[in-house]
Amino acid sequence: MHSKLILFVIIFLVSGFFYLHTVNPFEITISLYKDYTYTFPVTVIIFAGFIIGIVLMVFNSFIVDIKRAVMDFKAGRKVKARDNFERKFRKGSLALAKGDAKGAVKVLEDAYLSDAEDPELRKELVMKLARACSAEDKFVRATEVLENMMRKTGDDIELLFVLVDVSISSGEVARQERYLREIIRLDGSNVRALSTLIEIMVMDGNFKEAVNLQRTIVSNLPKPRKGGKQSVIDDENNRLVGLLFDASTVALDAGDQPLAVTYSEQALSIDKGFIPAHFMLGDIDIKNGKLDEAVRRWEKAYSSTKSPFFLMRIEDIHLGRTKPDEALAIYTAALKDAPGSVELRLLLARLHLRLEMIDLAIDDLEALAMEGHESFYRRVLLSEAYQRRNQTDKATELLQSAIALDSDLTPPFTCSKCGFSRSEWFGRCPDCASWNSCSVSSSSPKDAGHISLALGAPGGGFRASRGALGAGTPQKRGIA
């Protein structure tokens, strides 16, 4: 049908040409140059122009078709390349997710070298390739592909975080710090970058900068809505308090008492109940011979926190100054405010034993039992009292009944570094991460709350180490 239509058009044009040529026999003479002239019939000129126009139109259509074919070919190649790229990307991602880092590197490297153009997908590919290379300890290659991508895309926080992860895996702390500082330059309130940099500063012992970085985190936290939760703010403030106390400890170890006092007071301005800072300030007073100032400070701390540790420290000061009446008076006053406190009554019985007031100690401890306040620690103290009365059988019986509280007879295990306690052996302390620090404790795990109240020798007192008071290691106190 198409061919017949073309034939009809050709016949129509030829017929039209002869008809017009017959009706219009006129001729036109064209002079191209002197002595060079050409004479053409009008119809020939008209039809020549028409034919030339048709030829040009067909030629243009042909060129357009060629260009379209080339573009379609290129587009097809791009689609094919993209499909191939995506297939390899998915395959490599799956291998990485399954833990096959070696297989992931091989497939993702192949995809990385392809010419598929998709900025977002290529960025994802680069990050996965870097992680796979890092898992295979190919840290140089991981850093190379990430930095090459950074040159193309400019500063990118996601890529910088992957560079941080690679630096952590390779143990390059200086490079890790550089990338973190770059992230903070781009986003000064980025909590993840700030927190990670704080860890580095703590490891380096640079608590001053660690504190400043944590202050930045706290200052950028959004204020909670009315009635909303404040747990995030509390957590970050607790981290700041811990870092301030670590900074105070470092300053004191370096002999800079004024700076230690400043950091401790800053910690207490955030958390008035932070016991380690109260103890540090009191210990500094004692070191400087200001015993009365230490007593006043800890009395004030006890009134606000109700922590018996302060009474025990004050007790030691009074006994050290041979003032037993004042030591007894602090517990008498405390029991007036809290007459039902079993812990205070145990501490008073403990003081009676330290002062060799055996009958009063036994009366105190037997009264607790009569009231139904039974505990491992009460029996230990009572056993000690009978032992000092030379009633060995009674003392032995009490100790055996105390041990019977732990039916499996398993002794508790305690970390010699931080005092962490539980009823089963551990190779590495879950609290302070110290290796090979597990030892057998003489206290009951069921009465762990009273471990720090151990009696000790008749003349001995309570000594709160920094670990026992929660100072711990920088990793524990400074970084949550």
Side-chain angles (χ1 to χ4, degrees), residues 126-140:
V126 166
M127 291 193 293
K128 287 184 181 294
L129 176 57
R131 290 192 177 99
C133 288
S134 180
E136 285 290 291
D137 295 338
K138 298 179 179 180
F139 304 117
V140 174

Side-chain angles (χ1 to χ4, degrees), residues 146-445:
L146 287 166
E147 291 187 340
N148 285 342
M149 192 67 187
M150 289 275 289
R151 292 188 192 97
K152 295 178 181 178
T153 62
D155 293 330
D156 187 291
I157 289 179
E158 282 187 286
L159 292 172
L160 283 167
F161 268 122
V162 180
L163 281 165
V164 169
D165 293 338
V166 172
S167 301
I168 292 173
S169 299
S170 63
E172 297 178 272
V173 179
R175 188 185 290 271
Q176 179 187 351
E177 181 180 343
R178 176 164 65 86
Y179 293 135
L180 287 168
R181 292 191 184 280
E182 183 64 19
I183 293 171
I184 294 170
R185 183 185 67 80
L186 298 172
D187 179 7
S189 61
N190 192 292
V191 175
R192 180 184 169 191
L194 289 165
S195 298
T196 309
L197 187 56
I198 286 171
E199 293 182 19
I200 295 175
M201 295 300 101
V202 168
M203 287 190 293
D204 289 343
N206 188 352
F207 286 96
K208 182 178 180 180
E209 184 167 2
V211 166
N212 291 334
L213 291 168
Q214 184 62 29
R215 287 189 193 278
T216 301
I217 292 176
V218 172
S219 64
N220 285 302
L221 288 174
K223 294 183 178 179
R225 296 179 180 178
K226 189 175 181 180
K229 294 183 179 180
Q230 194 167 321
S231 57
V232 174
I233 295 177
D234 291 340
D235 288 345
E236 295 301 341
N237 275 323
N238 289 339
R239 290 187 181 96
L240 178 56
V241 168
L243 285 170
L244 284 166
F245 182 72
D246 284 335
S248 178
T249 303
V250 170
L252 187 61
D253 290 343
D256 192 343
Q257 282 190 8
L259 185 58
V261 169
T262 298
Y263 280 131
S264 290
E265 288 178 343
Q266 288 177 1
L268 289 173
S269 69
I270 300 169
D271 181 3
K272 291 181 173 57
F274 189 62
I275 294 174
H278 285 295
F279 274 135
M280 177 168 286
L281 291 173
D283 286 335
I284 290 174
D285 289 332
I286 293 172
K287 189 174 183 179
N288 293 328
K290 300 177 180 179
L291 298 180
D292 291 333
E293 181 64 27
V295 169
R296 283 193 295 271
R297 185 186 298 280
W298 287 339
E299 285 177 341
K300 186 177 178 181
Y302 174 75
S303 67
S304 63
T305 65
K306 300 302 179 185
S307 171
F309 290 120
F310 294 111
L311 299 183
M312 298 171 75
R313 295 301 306 273
I314 296 171
E315 172 190 328
D316 286 342
I317 291 177
H318 288 322
L319 294 183
R321 300 165 81 179
T322 322
K323 294 182 178 180
D325 290 341
E326 293 188 19
L328 289 166
I330 62 172
Y331 289 108
T332 302
L335 281 167
K336 283 183 180 179
D337 293 335
S341 173
V342 175
E343 193 167 41
L344 288 176
R345 292 170 67 183
L346 282 169
L347 287 176
L348 180 57
R350 172 182 175 273
L351 176 58
H352 285 152
L353 277 175
R354 293 183 71 186
L355 296 174
E356 296 297 326
M357 302 167 71
I358 309 300
D359 291 338
L360 284 176
I362 291 175
D363 289 344
D364 294 337
L365 296 168
E366 293 286 9
L368 284 170
M370 292 290 291
E371 295 170 16
H373 302 301
E374 188 57 88
S375 69
F376 175 88
Y377 189 59
R378 188 201 70 83
R379 295 188 183 189
V380 169
L381 289 176
L382 191 55
S383 172
E384 178 68 20
Y386 281 117
Q387 183 72 35
R388 294 188 186 186
R389 263 191 178 182
N390 293 319
Q391 293 180 256
T392 308
D393 292 342
K394 184 70 173 177
T396 302
E397 179 186 347
L398 283 164
L399 274 179
Q400 288 175 343
S401 63
I403 293 172
L405 292 179
D406 295 310
S407 59
D408 58 1
L409 297 179
T410 302
F413 296 92
T414 301
C415 173
S416 60
K417 302 291 185 182
C418 69
F420 173 84
S421 179
R422 73 179 184 192
S423 59
E424 59 185 69
W425 185 87
F426 48 86
R428 187 180 189 184
C429 177
D431 205 21
C432 68
S434 298
W435 284 102
N436 202 34
S437 60
C438 181
S439 60
V440 177
S441 170
S442 60
S443 301
S444 169

Side-chain angles (χ1 to χ4, degrees), residues 12 54 56 64 93 131-132 212 262 275 303 326 349 372 451 462:
F12 176 78
I54 291 176
L56 290 174
V64 169
S93 299
R131 290 192 177 99
N212 291 334
T262 298
I275 294 174
S303 67
E326 293 188 19
I451 287 174
F462 170 71

